[in-house]
Amino acid sequence: MLDDVIEKLRKEFIEKLKGIKDEPSLLNLKGEFVGRKRGKIKSLFKELGKVSSEERGKLGQAINSFKSFVEKSLSEKEREIKQKTGKKKGEDYTYPGYRIEIGKKHLLKQVLDEVIDIFLKMGYHIETGPEVETDYFNFTALNIPEEHPARDEHDTFYLDFEKGKDKFLLRTHTSPVQIRTMLKKRPPLKIIVPGKVFRKDEPDDTHSPVFHQLEGLVVGKSISFADLKGTLITFLKALFGDEIKVRFRPSFFPFTEPSAEVDVLLDGDWLEILGCGMVDPAVFSEVGVDPEEFTGFAFGLGIDRIAMVKYGVKSLRYFYDNDLRFLRQF
Ligand code: PHE
């Protein structure tokens, strides 16, 4: 009788084992048959107590051999499953190694670092400011009047919340950090401000809604336009080489007076790369610096523009497309 039971269980086990494909169901099956408390084999042994002593030895053997059959089959199945699903690259020492790709800096970051480095060597230190600004810091404090075209909805990303009299926007230039710094630190000052700026421009070869600037501000006693020129020419020679031809063109910015734009001559073309000027006394008065005692100059470089000019990149869009075929060249 017990013989038949063992035979039935053996068939049941073989049938169930066939359907096993993963470790959790294998563990279940293991529990069902060789579980220490309620396993089916355990109950077979319990039945042994009820049979006659003549039969007991033979049946005991039969159960034991069934038990080892089950255990052997289970561990074979386990090995099989592990080979199929559990094979991890790191555990298999015969698996060929894989190359770890080491990234590199984006061209814009490389150029920014190079520019920063030149100014650090000239004794500047770095300040930063928020990319979300108030219209006070971005415009008003910089002597940019209410009706100035730069404030236009079409040019500026305004955010749709206000706090008191403040409107919030994505900064359109790094110049607000001039104000923030002068409110916080007394002159003499010699700072640069690298960062992202935003304008509502349709992207094309020379426009992008986000680009990068590096602002400079020097404030002290008897700082002159000659200092401005000397500084920028020294910078441009360090960046483009001693032979570079530089041109200062009169221009206008509400926060500098006089103002200029600077071009460099490359391959027969004059290319504009920065705006600059002497800090307007109205700006000093706004931040509580006495314009009788202090003078200063400021400049703003377009980093993307410099990268295009220096590396012969024809469109701004390449910087933001993230196409590795472009980026890997630098
Ligand atoms: N903020 C100006 C711009 O974005 C550049 C500038 C900076 C001009 C500092 C003069 C002085 O166009």
Side-chain angles (χ1 to χ4, degrees):
M1 233 263 300
L2 203 50
D3 261 347
D4 295 342
V5 178
I6 296 175
E7 218 29 60
K8 237 183 87 201
L9 273 184
R10 184 193 299 273
K11 283 195 184 119
E12 185 190 329
F13 174 75
I14 291 172
E15 205 45 49
K16 284 188 169 163
L17 190 69
K18 272 191 206 152
I20 299 291
K21 300 260 174 321
D22 53 31
E23 278 192 86
S25 41
L26 184 74
L27 276 178
N28 274 340
L29 187 65
K30 199 172 181 175
E32 185 182 337
F33 281 84
V34 290
R36 283 221 226 142
K37 282 209 179 116
R38 269 181 289 275
K40 288 187 166 149
I41 291 173
K42 183 76 191 173
S43 11
L44 283 180
F45 280 120
K46 281 182 193 151
E47 294 296 314
L48 261 190
K50 297 176 193 160
V51 301
S52 63
S53 45
E54 300 94 74
E55 279 183 310
R56 198 170 293 151
K58 210 173 106 240
L59 281 173
Q61 252 177 12
I63 299 173
N64 268 321
S65 90
F66 175 53
K67 188 180 175 208
S68 22
F69 164 75
V70 167
E71 283 171 341
K72 198 168 144 248
S73 310
L74 286 171
S75 62
E76 266 168 19
K77 193 74 176 184
E78 189 179 340
R79 216 175 307 135
E80 197 182 297
I81 289 175
K82 278 205 168 135
Q83 244 175 24
K84 266 198 209 128
T85 61
K87 184 160 151 193
K88 298 209 179 65
K89 287 177 188 173
E91 287 169 1
D92 180 354
Y93 299 111
T94 62
Y95 201 88
Y98 48 93
R99 191 180 294 276
I100 297 172
E101 286 223 31
I102 298 174
K104 59 176 355 193
K105 285 184 198 162
H106 191 285
L107 179 59
L108 285 176
K109 178 70 174 144
Q110 291 178 39
V111 171
L112 185 62
D113 284 352
E114 195 182 342
V115 168
I116 288 175
D117 221 47
I118 297 170
F119 283 108
L120 290 181
K121 283 179 185 150
M122 292 201 267
Y124 286 71
H125 76 258
I126 299 174
E127 287 285 341
T128 54
E131 288 169 4
V132 173
E133 263 299 1
T134 61
D135 63 345
Y136 174 76
F137 284 111
N138 197 81
F139 298 126
T140 316
L142 287 161
N143 201 28
I144 300 174
E146 217 47 83
E147 66 280 6
H148 194 280
R151 292 192 179 221
D152 199 309
E153 295 270 350
H154 295 288
D155 302 320
T156 305
F157 290 107
Y158 287 95
L159 304 182
D160 63 359
F161 62 91
E162 296 181 12
K163 203 173 147 195
K165 276 196 287 182
D166 284 329
K167 279 197 230 158
F168 290 84
L169 48 93
L170 299 183
R171 66 179 178 192
T172 60
H173 51 180
T174 42
S175 303
V177 189
Q178 289 188 31
I179 305 297
R180 290 182 175 275
T181 307
M182 286 191 283
L183 285 175
K184 176 169 89 180
K185 293 178 181 166
R186 295 282 94 191
L189 289 172
K190 211 172 154 185
I191 60 152
I192 49 171
V193 183
K196 282 195 185 75
V197 301
F198 307 84
R199 290 186 200 170
K200 246 188 193 172
D201 282 326
E202 280 298 324
D204 64 20
D205 287 349
T206 53
H207 294 87
S208 163
V210 53
F211 57 102
H212 301 79
Q213 286 190 334
L214 183 125
E215 189 85 7
L217 174 70
V218 175
V219 183
K221 293 193 171 162
S222 63
I223 301 287
S224 71
F225 199 86
D227 296 317
L228 164 61
K229 278 187 86 173
T231 300
L232 291 178
I233 291 170
T234 305
F235 161 70
L236 291 168
K237 285 187 170 168
L239 190 66
F240 291 106
D242 273 345
E243 302 309 314
I244 192 72
K245 292 263 181 306
V246 179
R247 173 172 88 175
F248 284 72
R249 254 186 309 112
S251 183
F252 173 79
F253 299 102
F255 38 95
T256 50
E257 179 60 31
S259 304
E261 277 167 301
V262 176
D263 307 330
V264 291
L265 185 63
L266 280 175
D267 302 327
D269 290 322
W270 286 104
L271 301 161
E272 180 195 322
I273 52 173
L274 67 92
C276 62
M278 301 305 291
V279 179
D280 195 302
V283 173
F284 280 148
S285 302
E286 184 69 27
V287 294
V289 171
D290 183 357
E292 299 292 326
E293 192 184 354
F294 292 103
T295 53
F297 65 80
F299 55 88
L301 317 170
I303 295 297
D304 308 63
R305 195 62 219 249
I306 289 177
M308 283 174 84
V309 164
K310 191 169 156 136
Y311 290 92
V313 176
K314 293 283 175 279
S315 173
L316 253 185
R317 286 195 252 202
Y318 291 124
F319 294 139
Y320 300 99
D321 280 350
N322 288 333
D323 185 335
L324 291 178
R325 289 170 303 176
F326 169 76
L327 295 172
R328 283 202 175 110
Q329 296 175 68
F330 305 100

